[in-house]
């Protein structure tokens, strides 16, 4: 029996010696997903332990964190439940219509939350979860997340994505001690938030593909069981999209469980590889460039879902090409660092220094580094094409799945960016982080510009 055969309850408490050679471990204290799941909250609180192992008591202050939207959906109900259980409880409602996880809002919550709080309860999803995660981590206290929308895959992760000084990054944090996904709340989420959740799930087809590529090309660690777990869960959500459209509670339960499961899988391997490839890097760059414009942009899952549609199209087109490896090597040798640096400053502006630091670490476009990868790609071309063919087969319906809830499937719908700006994003997303993925693969083979032009023509003209 492998990871893909375990129940959710088993997966959150797993202690597993895997065939990949690593020991997978997870210890989430409390998880409830389904209709009426919030009713488990009093039981979870009664059983909750603090970081030092001492129990949470009726003398310990609990703090409900919500925003103007999530307070109405579930925040007030959670507050009243905790109050009725006899705990001292206070709350904070962020007054803003739109927020990102950045130093401004982290500071706002830090200032608002009393110093004697022992357990914050985040009522919301992406931003509320990450802000509460960051502040509770800094204070070394546990926290819970009561999800109000199945819109992102960060419920069970131990990192917090944040935009700090204009750069999208992942900051060290901790996993929620309690995760509650009540389908009575989740099913009331607006369609665009559900579509974002679908996008974040369907993105796993590309994420796992890119992880496999890096295993073949760079010898990167890869876990077959975690990969199988992710793909099996993604398939299950894909098969239940019609249920999401009709409001079926079981379909919402599948979606929420898969969103939680992604964080668990990342915890198993101690990085975000199972859930993040070129599509996530592209999403991060979209968010970074929105921040540089002083704009909120789209939900993370919205950006990632759209990027998944684009990456699938690029892989599909790539499979029709005959690769000229000698031409690819000449392309690699033509790299001009000074010209590249000028382009980075043009595209990333105030965030350029962070991009340069990535290059100093990875040298991702250095001719010798690229040519070494080309040699391996040429040697393993058949295996790589088999991987890509299977990925395209699974991901080809991404626009259909995301579009079922009226989600974004085309870059042209991302009104913040012109087609010239999106062309820059396709060409330079690979510089954003030290992780081998699809856009770097295309660059290595000298076809990134050709595929970029294909995407721009397809979606804009």
């Amino acid at each position: 029996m492998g990871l893909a055969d375990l129940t959710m309850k088993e997966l959150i408490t797993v202690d597993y010696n895997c065939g990949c050679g690593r020991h997978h471990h997870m210890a989430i204290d409390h998880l409830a997903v389904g209709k009426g799941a919030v009713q488990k909250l009093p039981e979870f609180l009664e059983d909750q332990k603090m970081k030092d192992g001492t129990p949470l008591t009726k003398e310990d202050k609990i703090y409900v964190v919500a925003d103007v939207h999530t307070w109405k959906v579930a925040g007030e109900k959670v507050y009243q439940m905790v109050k009725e259980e006899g705990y001292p409880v206070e709350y904070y409602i962020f007054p803003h219509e739109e927020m990102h996880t950045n130093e401004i809002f982290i500071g706002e919550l830090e200032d608002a939350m009393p110093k004697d709080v022992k357990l914050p309860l985040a009522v919301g999803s992406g931003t509320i979860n990450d802000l509460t995660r960051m502040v509770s981590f800094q204070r070394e206290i546990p926290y819970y997340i009561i999800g109000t929308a199945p819109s992102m895959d960060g419920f069970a992760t131990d990192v917090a994505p944040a935009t700090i000084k204009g750069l999208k990054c992942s900051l060290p944090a901790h996993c929620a001690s309690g995760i509650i996904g009540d389908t009575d709340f989740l099913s009331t989420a607006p369609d665009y938030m559900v579509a974002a959740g679908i996008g974040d799930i369907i993105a796993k087809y590309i994420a796992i593909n890119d992880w496999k590529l890096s295993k073949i090309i760079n010898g990167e660690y890869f876990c077959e069981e975690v990969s199988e777990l992710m793909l099996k869960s993604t398939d299950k959500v894909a098969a239940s999209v019609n249920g999401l459209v009709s409001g079926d509670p079981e379909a919402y339960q599948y979606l929420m469980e898969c969103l939680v499961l992604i964080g668990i899988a990342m915890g198993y391997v101690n990085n975000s590889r199972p859930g993040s490839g070129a599509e996530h890097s592209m999403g991060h760059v979209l968010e970074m460039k929105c921040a540089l414009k002083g704009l909120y942009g789209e939900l993370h899952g919205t950006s990632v879902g759209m990027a998944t549609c684009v990456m699938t199209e690029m892989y599909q087109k790539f499979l029709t090409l005959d690769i000229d490896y000698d031409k690819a090597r000449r392309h690699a040798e033509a790299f001009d660092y000074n010209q590249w640096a000028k382009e980075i400053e043009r595209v990333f502006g105030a965030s350029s220094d962070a991009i340069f630091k990535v290059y100093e670490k990875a040298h991702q476009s250095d001719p010798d580094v690229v040519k070494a990868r080309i040699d391996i790609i040429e040697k393993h071309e058949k295996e790589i094409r088999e991987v890509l063919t299977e990925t395209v087969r699974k991901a080809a319906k991404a626009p259909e799945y995301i579009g079922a809830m009226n989600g974004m499937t085309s870059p042209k719908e991302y009104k913040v960016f012109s087609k010239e700006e999106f062309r820059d994003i396709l060409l330079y997303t690979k510089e954003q982080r030290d992780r081998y993925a699809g856009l770097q693969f295309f660059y290595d083979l000298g076809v990134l510009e050709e595929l970029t032009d294909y995407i721009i023509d397809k979606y804009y003209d």
Side-chain angles (χ1 to χ4, degrees):
M1 180 178 287
L3 291 175
D5 302 308
L6 300 181
T7 65
M8 282 295 293
K9 185 174 182 180
E10 291 169 327
L11 288 167
I12 67 170
T13 56
V14 78
D15 232 335
Y16 184 72
N17 288 316
C18 184
C20 72
R22 292 194 182 183
H23 180 82
H24 300 317
H25 174 71
M26 181 59 63
I28 296 174
D29 295 331
H30 308 293
L31 173 67
V33 179
K35 186 173 178 60
V38 75
Q39 299 304 323
K40 300 288 286 184
L41 179 59
E43 176 187 326
F44 290 174
L45 295 177
E46 187 175 351
D47 191 49
Q48 183 59 46
K49 300 290 192 299
M50 305 307 292
K51 293 288 187 180
D52 61 3
T54 59
L56 182 77
T57 73
K58 292 292 179 72
E59 310 301 317
D60 293 325
K61 184 177 289 182
I62 293 174
Y63 198 64
V64 177
V65 182
D67 64 25
V68 291
H69 306 291
T70 66
W71 178 255
K72 297 173 185 176
V73 174
E76 187 172 10
K77 179 180 179 64
V78 168
Y79 170 77
Q80 291 297 338
M81 287 180 69
V82 175
K83 189 174 182 180
E84 288 169 10
E85 289 298 313
Y87 294 91
V89 58
E90 297 180 17
Y91 63 85
Y92 183 70
I93 304 172
F94 279 99
H96 320 288
E97 283 293 325
E98 295 181 337
M99 295 190 301
H100 270 313
T101 305
N102 61 27
E103 60 267 48
I104 296 171
F105 297 117
I106 293 170
E108 181 176 335
L109 182 57
E110 176 63 46
D111 291 342
M113 188 186 296
K115 299 301 181 185
D116 59 344
V117 168
K118 296 296 184 181
L119 181 69
L121 307 180
V123 180
S125 290
T127 299
I128 293 294
N129 182 36
D130 289 327
L131 292 171
T132 310
R133 185 201 315 274
M134 285 297 304
V135 174
S136 63
F137 176 69
Q138 291 165 0
R139 296 194 183 185
E140 299 184 333
I141 56 175
Y143 87 101
Y144 286 8
I145 172 66
I146 295 94
T148 57
S151 57
M152 55 92 211
D153 64 5
F155 291 105
T157 62
D158 60 0
V159 297
T163 303
I164 305 297
K165 295 181 179 178
L167 178 66
K168 188 75 176 185
C169 55
S170 293
L171 301 176
H174 59 183
C175 186
S177 293
I179 301 171
I180 295 175
D182 191 322
T183 56
D184 289 338
F185 300 148
L186 301 175
S187 61
T188 68
D191 284 2
Y192 77 93
M193 298 189 83
V194 181
I198 295 170
D200 222 353
I201 295 296
I202 300 302
K204 299 334 166 209
Y205 289 137
I206 301 298
I208 295 298
N209 174 89
D210 288 358
W211 195 14
K212 288 179 178 178
L213 280 185
S214 192
K215 173 202 172 189
I216 296 167
I217 297 167
N218 301 309
E220 182 178 339
Y221 159 76
F222 179 83
C223 179
E224 194 65 52
E225 289 207 34
V226 169
S227 168
E228 182 185 357
L229 178 64
M230 285 290 87
L231 293 176
K232 182 178 178 180
S233 300
T234 303
D235 288 345
K236 190 173 183 179
V237 170
S240 65
V241 166
N242 288 339
L244 294 170
V245 174
S246 66
D248 181 3
E250 193 171 69
Y252 277 86
Q253 181 170 340
Y254 290 160
L255 179 58
M256 181 66 183
E257 285 181 345
C258 190
L259 291 167
V260 171
L261 192 58
I262 292 161
I264 292 170
M266 291 190 282
Y268 288 161
V269 300
N270 297 314
N271 66 57
S272 62
R273 258 302 189 186
S276 173
E279 81 301 329
H280 264 69
S281 290
M282 195 186 304
H284 290 328
V285 171
L286 289 165
E287 292 161 18
M288 283 171 58
K289 287 182 70 64
C290 280
L292 290 170
K293 289 172 178 277
L295 301 172
Y296 176 78
E298 300 287 346
L299 291 176
H300 170 73
T302 301
S303 298
V304 167
M306 182 273 287
T308 298
C309 297
V310 170
M311 287 304 304
T312 302
E313 288 282 358
M314 294 181 88
Y315 277 126
Q316 192 165 32
K317 180 64 176 178
F318 172 81
L319 288 170
T320 69
L321 304 179
D322 292 322
I323 301 304
D324 184 333
Y325 288 98
D326 290 334
K327 184 178 178 181
R329 292 181 180 94
R330 291 194 297 272
H331 173 265
E333 289 168 352
F335 175 70
D336 182 327
Y337 178 86
N338 292 330
Q339 181 59 38
W340 171 84
K342 289 178 182 178
E343 286 295 284
I344 293 302
E345 290 174 345
R346 178 181 67 81
V347 173
F348 290 99
S351 297
S352 297
D353 286 346
I355 302 297
F356 293 140
K357 288 179 181 177
V358 172
Y359 189 85
E360 288 168 10
K361 179 181 178 182
H363 297 280
Q364 62 268 30
S365 298
D366 180 277
D368 290 336
V369 173
V370 174
K371 286 192 291 183
R373 288 198 296 258
I374 292 171
D375 291 344
I376 297 171
I377 294 169
E378 185 173 20
K379 182 179 179 181
H380 295 276
E381 179 178 348
K382 183 176 183 295
E383 181 184 1
I384 288 170
R385 284 188 177 272
E386 288 172 355
V387 168
L388 299 186
T389 299
E390 177 62 11
T391 295
V392 168
R393 185 186 71 80
K394 283 183 169 288
K397 289 188 175 181
E400 178 182 325
Y401 299 140
I402 297 168
M405 296 297 287
N406 303 309
M408 184 183 294
T409 60
S410 162
K412 194 172 183 178
E413 299 172 64
Y414 210 119
K415 302 298 186 182
V416 170
F417 302 108
S418 66
K419 71 175 183 179
E420 290 77 19
E421 288 175 303
F422 193 72
R423 187 175 191 276
D424 285 338
I425 288 166
L426 288 176
L427 290 175
Y428 295 107
T429 279
K430 71 185 185 66
E431 319 295 354
Q432 184 257 344
R433 68 184 309 183
D434 176 20
R435 171 169 290 178
Y436 195 82
L439 295 171
Q440 183 68 51
F441 171 74
F442 297 146
Y443 174 88
D444 288 353
L445 295 178
V447 296
L448 178 57
E449 288 199 29
E450 178 181 350
L451 293 174
T452 294
D453 290 340
Y454 168 76
I455 291 296
I456 297 301
D457 289 346
K458 178 179 178 64
Y459 286 105
Y460 288 93
D461 296 330

